[in-house]
Amino acid sequence: MQKLIITAALTGAEVTREQQPTLPVTPDEIAAAAKECCDAGASIVHVHARDAAGEPTQDIAVYREIKEKIEACCNVIFQPSTGGAVWHSPEERLQPVELKPEMSTLSCGTCNFGGDVFMNTESYMEKFAARMKELGVKPELEIFERGMIENALKLAKKGLVEAPLHFDFVLGVPGACPATPEDLLLMKNAIPAGSTWTVAGIGRHELSLGTMAILLGGHVRVGFEDNIFYSKGVLATSNAQLVARMVRLAKELGREVATPDEAREILGIKK
Ligand code: KMH
Ligand code: ZN
């Protein structure tokens, strides 16, 4: 089995400091959280930027500052979001790709997202994929519903994303695919052989689906974007605490954890 790639989704666009007092928000806090997670065993950090007021922003200048600060303190793979918040325009969302990060996310379809709609039309998916290809950015294909895998395969057929494909199954978003073991198996069994996949279980499902991924040969995403709790009613003290738990589980279950360079090798990323 491949070594386990752990992604830390540090901040997200929806969580607030009121909900999670240790949420990293400023570039300095996000870089410090990235280093702590890398030291704990994460090889990728999935990053959403916030502005000076703590609101989600896709401003390239803020992403640049975060990228430089992370690169100055650790070797972790920087993966900015192109999902942003539901109210960001596609043009705003695409900005961090211009920094030529090693990876970035690419959402593969439209779905309900709580009380909102997360909009990803075919033409914008194609535009995002084409720009990532031009700039040599490895896409992480974000899958919130089963049909989105077909959209991703359509992008592959058009040559806009290239094998080996890397998927992230985001399961348990209210309004989208639930986070059951059966749903994870459905997704995992629907992707082409030779692809890699990770799972982001929302809320309490982070732990159960992450454990399944360790056993099934997938990879795992944890962090405050997806889950702010350590256990029922108990807030996590940091993103790194959630990473450290996955490292312990992987060791108990006999799965080695990848370093950032090993993750690059697994994902076919040339630094
Ligand atoms: N915040 C969500 C609306 C991504 O980062 O690529 C979208 C999202 C996906 O978080
Ligand atoms: Zn995200």
Side-chain angles (χ1 to χ4, degrees), residues 46 48 81 221 225:
H46 171 66
H48 286 252
S81 170
R221 181 171 113 172
E225 175 166 346

Side-chain angles (χ1 to χ4, degrees), residues 151-163:
N151 295 340
L153 298 183
K154 203 166 167 190
L155 293 175
K157 209 166 176 190
K158 290 183 176 176
L160 295 168
V161 295
E162 285 169 345

